[in-house]
Each structure stands twice: as structure tokens, then as C-alpha cells.
Amino acid sequence: MADPYGKPSFAPRLRYLCDYLTRKGWDLDVYTEQWDELCFEHNYPITEVQLYKGQRGSLLHGIDWAIKAAAGLLFDWKDNAFAREVKRQTAKRQYDAVLCTTFSTFPLPAALEVAREKHIPLYCDIRDLDEQVGGAQYQSHRSWWTKAFHTWYSRVNIRRRNRILKQAKAITTVSPWHVDFLKKINPQTSLIYNGFNPQIHFFEPVRTEQFIISYIGRLYEQHSQDPTLLFEAISRLKDEMPELLFTVHTDEKGRETLRQLVRQYGIADRAEINGYVSIDAVPGLYRESSICVVLSNKAYGAGPKGMMTTKFFEIVGSEKPLLLVRSDEAHLEAAIRETNAGAAARTTDEAIAFIREVYQQWKVQGYTHQAVNKAAVQLFNREAESAQFEQLLLK
């Protein structure tokens, strides 16, 4: 049971695990909330449960969502409705375990209800926590309507989440920070990093006529991502590097923010702001890039803690120079050092120095290649990580 598959990545951690378990002979069913169209191949059933009336973006959907969202805070309407539907559809099916993966709370309560009815253990995979960004900001950027009363919203969800996690057979999560935090709730917590699919993300030399610095993914608030150093660096280097091009693939809201930023920093003539591409096109974009950017911020105060974004692992697997801006000064920076994946810039000068170094490589070769520490990188191979999940379930 899982929170919805959303663009642009469509839950890669869950997708690869399901692919792996299916290949190993496991029989599984996935139940999730209906959200975006599922634009990926899968050899196992995925059942999407429609919880709101109308099409997303319609007036009917908006009104129904607002009413049910309020009911959700008071009575957890959403999890109750989801649990009823899953129990109805699986009434005649026997399972050995329920695995619930989520970024927050939904559908943890529903998963526990299904596990209890079937008298089987519940395993929880937690990708993100409300507490990893201060002041309930993580929840508020997901749900705009909660900003007026996000403290209450956060407390309700944290209380529900923790109640379920205490009863889980085991918990898996994505970073050492998350492990330390969750072990206080349930000692049976272990680390399984996000990672990359080696059949998709691998190095291949692709020569380009332009020196491409690329970013692919969503843009979040500045407390989570501070791209200031990147824009300052490009602004200072654009005359020195006539071939430099900054490309972005992001959502509509992110595109508008970036258009304002590139004008503000005087680099609009060196930027291409694009919409999302299909997940199948992303590995090729990494290979065409001279530098791949991961956006972050300092991991203290209100900054993000334990944010080991999937993009980081995919770029490392592609063996492309990676620029983290601004450095989290924590787990991501340490992982970059361990894997020799690139640079974690704490200052504009550090970002500039790295871009210049990679630019010289590109001028000579026409493409770039990062000499990663292959032994360290293999720790992030999704094949090995899915085997960790399998061993946990077999116990």
C-alpha cells in the first residue's frame, strides 16, 4: 500500500522494489490513491483508488477535496475510505505481509487496519518525515490550504503516524538521520538508501556542442533548496564560457520561479526552462549534461535534514559530475566525498571552481565523466537494496 505515484519520477523506490520482487517470484498487489496517469511499464497489478469526485483541477474535485480534507483532520476520512476499499477488493486474497511506503502519514493507518484484519505483519518504509524541515514547513509546501493552521495539521499527522509506526514489525528508511529519529519510535528501524537502477543509469560518452549545466526535478521553498550560489556562479562565468547553457526540466510553478531568477541574475540568454519529460528520457538527459545539479540547503535550523534525494543516486550511477548547491553540510556532502561524485558547494567561489574544472575537461573531450569511487557507488545499486528489503520480509 502506497501514497500516490506522482510525476515526474513515479515512486522509483517502490517501482524498482516491485520489479525486483516480481522477478524473484513474489506475488504482490499494489494499492494506491489515483493521481497521475501511470506512464511506466509494470508486470504486477496496481490498483488506483479514486477518493475524490471529478477530475483533478475541476471545480467539483476541488470542492469535494476541501470538504474531505477537513473531515480527514477530524476523523481521518481518507485512510478509513482507502482501507474499506482495499479490504473489499482483497477479501478473498491471502497475503503474508503488508508493506506500506509513504512520504508522510497516508496510508499508514489504512495499512495497519488491513494487516490487522488479515492477521499479518505490517512493514513500513518511510521516505520523508515532517520533522526533517523545521516549523512544519515540509507539510505546508505539500498542502497549501494548511498554511493558516499548519501546526495543528502537522501534530495530527505526526500523532497518527507515530501510533502506527510503534506497531510495525519493522521500519525501513532512507538516511542515517531518519534512522536515528525513527529508532526512538520503533527500535526495529534500519537503513535502506534510495539508489539507482544500473540498467538505466550508467555512463556513456555523449559529445555536445554546448557546456550544459542541468537540473531535473521540482523546485521547493528556499528553506529546502537554495539555488543562489548556482545563479551567482553562472552569472560570473557566462562571459568566460561562451558555450555555457543552463537547462531545467520542472513543473509549471518551478518554471515561473526560474524565469524570474534568471532575469534577476542576468542569465536569461543562457537558460532554457522546460517542462517535465518522461521518466524514460531522464537518463539520456543526464548523459548529455556536462554537470548535473542537485539543489539543497544547510541541514540545520529550518533546513532539510536527511534529504537523500533520488536524483543524487541516479547522477552518481551515471558517473556525471555532480554539483550540490547549496551544500547540506551533512549526509549528502559526506556521500559526495565518499563516492567522489563531484562537489558540495558552501560558497559561490567553490561552485565556480568546480564548474571551471569540469569545463576544462569538456573543452578537451567534448563530454564529461566523473571518476566515481565504484566500490562506494555500488552500495546505492537498487538491486542490492531490493535484496535488503527481501531479506527483511523473509525474516
Side-chain angles (χ1 to χ4, degrees), residues 169-189:
K169 180 77 171 178
I171 298 172
T172 53
T173 192
V174 295
S175 84
W177 183 89
H178 287 76
V179 171
D180 291 342
F181 187 94
L182 289 168
K183 274 194 171 182
K184 299 171 186 175
I185 302 170
N186 187 326
Q188 300 303 316
T189 299

Side-chain angles (χ1 to χ4, degrees), residues 280-305:
D280 294 333
V282 171
L285 292 175
Y286 287 147
R287 286 189 274 273
E288 292 173 1
S289 300
S290 306
I291 293 176
C292 295
V293 171
V294 173
L295 296 178
S296 186
N297 202 353
K298 293 179 286 188
Y300 49 84
K305 302 168 184 68

Side-chain angles (χ1 to χ4, degrees), residues 203 206-208 359-369:
F203 173 71
V206 177
R207 290 178 170 80
T208 59
Y359 179 71
Q360 291 306 313
Q361 182 189 148
W362 175 82
K363 288 287 284 185
V364 173
Q365 298 179 163
Y367 65 91
T368 62
H369 177 230

Side-chain angles (χ1 to χ4, degrees), residues 195-248:
F196 68 94
N197 181 345
Q199 281 75 48
I200 297 174
H201 299 103
F202 53 85
F203 173 71
E204 185 177 70
V206 177
R207 290 178 170 80
T208 59
E209 295 182 357
Q210 291 175 300
F211 180 72
I212 301 171
I213 300 175
S214 71
Y215 177 75
I216 303 171
R218 285 194 178 99
L219 265 73
Y220 297 116
E221 287 86 342
Q222 196 166 18
H223 60 258
S224 294
Q225 297 174 330
D226 184 0
T228 303
L229 305 185
L230 177 64
F231 291 111
E232 289 177 350
I234 294 174
S235 179
R236 287 167 55 180
L237 289 170
K238 66 173 187 175
D239 294 333
E240 178 182 330
M241 302 177 180
E243 307 94 340
L244 190 154
L245 177 66
F246 176 48
T247 67
V248 179

Side-chain angles (χ1 to χ4, degrees), residues 111-124:
L112 178 61
E113 188 173 338
V114 172
R116 279 177 170 173
E117 180 170 279
K118 294 183 175 296
H119 305 289
I120 55 178
L122 170 66
Y123 296 84
C124 299

Side-chain angles (χ1 to χ4, degrees), residues 233-269:
I234 294 174
S235 179
R236 287 167 55 180
L237 289 170
K238 66 173 187 175
D239 294 333
E240 178 182 330
M241 302 177 180
E243 307 94 340
L244 190 154
L245 177 66
F246 176 48
T247 67
V248 179
H249 294 270
T250 190
D251 59 358
E252 183 176 350
K253 182 179 178 181
R255 292 197 295 275
E256 181 56 36
T257 299
L258 284 166
R259 290 187 188 104
Q260 295 173 11
L261 285 169
V262 297
R263 288 194 295 267
Q264 176 185 337
Y265 285 90
I267 58 172
D269 60 330

